[in-house]
Amino acid sequence: MLRGFCLFCLGAVVSIQPVLSCDVSDDTNFPRSAALAKSTSRPLLLAFIGADWSISSLKLDREVFDQAEFTDNSKYNFLLCKLHFYQTQERSPEIVRQNEELATKYRVQEFPTVVVLTPDGREIGRLGYIPGGVKAFAAAVNAIVAKSRQQEQH
């Protein structure tokens, strides 16, 4: 009975997590992330990373995506969809297929590549690893988003 209560409490804690925070879990579900970006009118970052074989991917993941500050919606108004390309970890065939199809669609040639999409799914820019942590990376993303909005107004 105690075990059941503990599982119930864990489920309650997980279910009350903020819905709009950046999803920084491994192998994110792209269709869910795209739908959330559209419904909340927020840019979507598709992060193609190979953290177990690419030093730059590992740095981007640890210095930016894994930082609590990055998930602060009051500072950064975008969503993250991490697409891992592991060489040493097992993944489900569905996730492998999803990630490979997206890498082909967006013509990803190097890792890491972060494709910045509008809420409706249009590509507006790309980034790689940027030294300087969350603030430097977020500033670069915000510059891409601002430039895109300026172009739309003209």
Side-chain angles (χ1 to χ4, degrees):
M1 179 146 160
L2 180 60
R3 180 177 178 205
F5 178 75
C6 289
L7 289 174
F8 171 78
C9 290
L10 177 63
V13 168
V14 170
S15 69
I16 63 172
Q17 295 297 316
V19 174
L20 296 178
S21 66
C22 291
D23 186 346
V24 293
S25 62
D26 289 342
D27 295 320
T28 303
N29 179 308
F30 172 72
R32 183 184 70 219
S33 296
L36 184 58
K38 189 170 188 168
S39 70
T40 60
S41 297
R42 296 167 72 188
L44 178 62
L45 309 181
L46 291 184
F48 296 86
I49 55 178
D52 66 344
W53 55 271
S54 163
I55 298 295
S56 296
S57 290
L58 181 62
K59 285 180 164 185
L60 179 62
D61 203 28
R62 287 190 177 164
E63 294 173 14
V64 178
F65 301 148
D66 287 348
Q67 299 301 311
E69 179 185 8
F70 188 71
T71 63
D72 183 350
N73 292 317
S74 66
K75 288 184 178 181
Y76 309 116
N77 191 33
F78 37 75
L79 297 170
L80 173 67
C81 181
K82 282 173 39 173
L83 304 167
H84 288 278
F85 288 79
Y86 291 122
Q87 289 186 348
T88 60
Q89 294 184 23
E90 290 291 320
R91 293 166 293 149
S92 72
E94 296 82 18
I95 292 295
V96 170
R97 187 172 35 259
Q98 168 195 269
N99 294 359
E100 288 176 354
E101 286 173 0
L102 289 167
T104 299
K105 177 180 179 177
Y106 290 103
R107 296 183 175 108
V108 173
Q109 300 292 318
E110 57 188 55
F111 290 82
T113 294
V114 180
V115 179
V116 183
L117 303 176
T118 62
D120 63 0
R122 187 174 42 86
E123 181 178 339
I124 56 174
R126 290 177 179 234
L127 304 159
Y129 169 71
I130 296 173
V134 173
K135 288 181 181 162
F137 184 82
V141 171
N142 286 332
I144 289 171
V145 172
K147 183 178 178 183
S148 171
R149 288 184 181 148
Q150 282 180 337
Q151 290 173 345
E152 287 175 5
Q153 292 175 352
H154 291 103

